[in-house]
Amino acid sequence: MTRVLVTRPLPERVLEAARAQFDLEVRESTAPMDGTEMRAALALYDGVLPTLGDRFSEEVFAEVETPRCRILANFGVGYNHIDVAAARARGVTVTNTPGAVTDATADIGMMLILTSCRRASEGERLLRAGAWEGWHPTQLLGLHVTGKRLGVVGFGRIGQAIARRAHLGFGMEIAYANRSEKQAEVPATRMALLDLAAWADVLVVALPGGAETRHMIGAEVFAAMPAHARFVNIARGDIVDEAALIDALRSGEIAGAGLDVYEREPEVPRALTEMEQVTLLPHLGTAALEVREAMGHMAVENLAAFFAGRAVPNTV
Ligand code: NAP
């Protein structure tokens, strides 16, 4: 029977579906695998179902030149932790789980837009600290969201799903920066990144991570943003130069931020946790049971198709 390693505990229904088809091993730790574990996984299993943090780099592949493993069926749409070229060079197919994550991640994007504009985290902290002295007309005044300008950087599935919510639900005007022109369901104008930064009241990032997009959002972008603007990142931490973001927040170059992802997760700089004008979530983009089940079933289906010799639906 085909041996498959699942590198983290997953929802039970997903494991049941996988057990019905494969000789399954589930790693119990919730932490990413280290190099030794990854090399063993490549050598001992026919397929691996890895996820965020399992860094299948060139160095890992280099020590297992002829892996037994023929497929890495990633749990998640983002696969910047896997060196796809290195995998391909050893005949290892890589798949991901697009689509399953779109709405949930867009919801978190919209939540961070609202939370950072309306200072909700700051308000909750004040209340929990027992420091709320009651309503008054000039307390915690934030940025009104309805009708404002939303700039979306990376206008793929998630970027467009955020735009739909923002436009249809909150009457926001939409513009985007993306390497190709897109036909979206809602009216949206394509702009160069710095023009978008200067135009938008809220700038949200929905790009893939990786070498191509690393630090694409840095000091220049923050300098172009208006002082009242908010910055939101639901994509990958390394797209943003975190030090430049901290400087921009500290100096008042931008008014606030809402972040779901960080450059060196799970490490979050103290400079960020100490600032009132930021909302910080622990990478919650897809954290809902039915979404994680859908992602898991998609990854298992990718494995099943691969080992049955069928066309593999989500090869990257
Ligand atoms: P997608 O549909 O592939 O969209 C990515 C968009 O970025 C595409 O429109 C693409 O343009 C654009 N793009 C890629 N590289 C670019 C570059 N160098 N310059 C300009 N634009 C570029 O992906 P998605 O499903 O929306 O997911 C986006 C990312 O969100 C994922 O890769 C993942 O890392 C992240 N994510 C985070 C969470 C979370 O938990 N916070 C959850 C899910 C996903 P083209 O159309 O021209 O290729």
Side-chain angles (χ1 to χ4, degrees):
M1 209 175 180
T2 308
R3 289 197 78 197
V4 167
L5 174 70
V6 174
T7 73
R8 301 286 194 294
L10 293 182
E12 196 42 48
R13 282 191 212 171
V14 175
L15 296 179
E16 267 169 34
R19 265 189 212 106
Q21 306 178 63
F22 308 114
D23 174 5
L24 199 74
E25 178 135 357
V26 182
R27 189 170 159 269
E28 279 178 17
S29 168
T30 56
M33 290 200 289
D34 62 26
T36 310
E37 288 179 290
M38 281 183 285
R39 284 188 286 274
L42 289 174
L44 299 175
Y45 296 87
D46 300 298
V48 177
L49 195 157
T51 192
L52 186 87
D54 296 332
R55 296 177 59 83
F56 281 92
S57 61
E58 168 61 38
E59 293 73 51
V60 167
F61 281 107
E63 289 184 39
V64 196
E65 274 305 328
T66 48
R68 170 171 171 173
C69 173
R70 289 160 58 217
I71 175 169
L72 295 179
N74 187 57
F75 179 87
V77 67
Y79 53 85
N80 54 309
H81 49 284
I82 299 172
D83 187 329
V84 177
R88 245 183 234 138
R90 276 85 180 178
V92 178
T93 296
V94 180
T95 63
N96 68 344
T97 62
V101 304
T102 303
D103 284 326
T105 312
D107 290 348
I108 289 286
M110 197 64 229
M111 187 164 83
L112 284 172
I113 292 169
L114 291 167
T115 309
S116 57
C117 287
R118 298 300 303 275
R119 302 174 63 178
S121 305
E122 204 177 329
E124 208 212 4
R125 279 193 294 272
L126 177 99
L127 182 148
R128 282 179 187 266
W132 186 39
E133 290 175 350
W135 187 94
H136 69 80
T138 57
Q139 183 187 48
L140 281 172
L141 301 184
L143 180 73
H144 184 51
V145 173
T146 298
K148 288 295 188 304
R149 294 168 164 185
L150 178 67
V152 187
V153 187
F155 209 50
R157 287 172 292 253
I158 295 171
Q160 291 182 43
I162 296 171
R164 271 198 304 278
R165 284 157 174 74
H167 182 73
L168 301 175
F170 298 87
M172 294 183 87
E173 208 182 324
I174 311 295
Y176 67 95
N178 196 73
R179 66 180 162 198
S180 63
E181 184 85 31
K182 296 283 176 185
Q183 283 305 319
E185 274 175 42
V186 294
T189 310
R190 186 171 171 216
M191 293 185 185
L193 178 58
L194 290 181
D195 294 338
L196 186 75
W199 173 86
D201 299 301
V202 183
L203 195 69
V204 58
V205 179
L207 287 166
E212 235 183 88
T213 58
R214 189 172 182 277
H215 284 194
M216 192 183 266
I217 308 292
E220 256 196 316
V221 169
F222 297 123
M225 289 171 70
H228 70 271
R230 268 68 170 175
F231 174 76
V232 171
N233 186 9
I234 51 79
R236 282 290 180 270
D238 62 351
I239 300 165
V240 178
D241 178 345
E242 213 162 62
L245 171 63
I246 290 166
D247 287 347
L249 286 162
R250 270 193 180 139
S251 67
E253 205 161 52
I254 64 172
L259 307 175
D260 191 40
V261 287
Y262 307 89
E263 241 189 301
R264 282 168 284 274
E265 289 179 23
E267 182 193 319
V268 179
R270 259 185 68 186
L272 287 175
T273 58
E274 283 173 350
M275 272 190 264
E276 283 295 347
Q277 71 276 38
V278 292
T279 297
L280 304 169
L281 300 182
H283 205 138
L284 290 182
T286 60
L289 177 59
E290 62 200 276
V291 178
R292 294 279 161 85
E293 285 180 346
M295 292 163 69
H297 286 305
M298 207 167 190
V300 170
E301 179 47 34
N302 287 333
L303 287 166
F306 179 86
F307 287 114
R310 287 186 267 123
V312 184
N314 303 295
T315 305
V316 300

